Amino acid sequence: MSIETVVFFDIDGTLIKTAGASRASMLRALRELYGVQANELYVDAVGRTDRAIVRDLLALHGLEPTDREVERFLARYVEYLPGELRRRPKAHVLPGVPDVLERLSRRPDVAIGLLTGNARHGAYRKLRHFGLDHFFPFGGFGDRWLDRADVAKEALEAAEKSLGQTIDPGKCWVVGDTVHDVTCARAIGAKAIAVLTGWSLVSDLYAVGPDAVIDDLTELDTLLKC
């Protein structure tokens, strides 16, 4: 049976919350690599790619954000993530997530993947901490791209390669908690579901016109007819 629907999931604020592990890992990398002591990132991180966040972070501290330095920083950041997650008992999986992933993964007509601003290795380390990594055999990631639209294109190409078939973007859904999740879905002609478990203002999400807005992933079953 061929796949009829592909559902791409964002990670932070959609599937999980890391209770500050991502922020702490970036601040630690900044300190260990460059001797910069900071208590906050002071850059916009919500819904953006890790590559874009790191470029801004380096520039903010007077460091040249070359490709080499960005990649060096990302490698160190990802290295610190597992330990930072273990130190945070308040890090958790969001409501409805395990159940809906189980249901979707059992459907022969549906495939699920990632569409995230996280760097690839960071994404899987976060998900592995919560036992969710095995659900996602493909995806688009934020270590190569500055723009989430490019991540969406990568995710669609990865889905086609993994599944061995052409995917109709109009039958794809992007599920995420930020404006960027909605706009990147539109960039590939996919439908968008905004979930209110993240940090975005409800008014901002409605303003970009998602196909649906849900409180959390316990409501996703109804939309996708699980």
Side-chain angles (χ1 to χ4, degrees), residues 96-148:
V97 169
D99 184 57
V100 79
L101 294 180
E102 287 283 359
R103 288 174 181 271
L104 291 175
S105 68
R106 289 198 297 265
R107 284 182 54 174
D109 61 326
V110 173
I112 56 178
L114 295 170
L115 200 173
T116 174
N118 280 275
R120 178 185 295 269
H121 294 306
Y124 282 110
R125 288 188 179 191
K126 287 180 181 181
L127 293 171
R128 192 173 303 123
H129 177 80
F130 297 103
L132 301 175
D133 55 304
H134 65 285
F135 286 112
F136 302 102
F138 58 83
F141 304 92
D143 38 357
R144 295 177 58 198
W145 311 107
L146 297 176
D147 194 319
R148 282 288 293 270

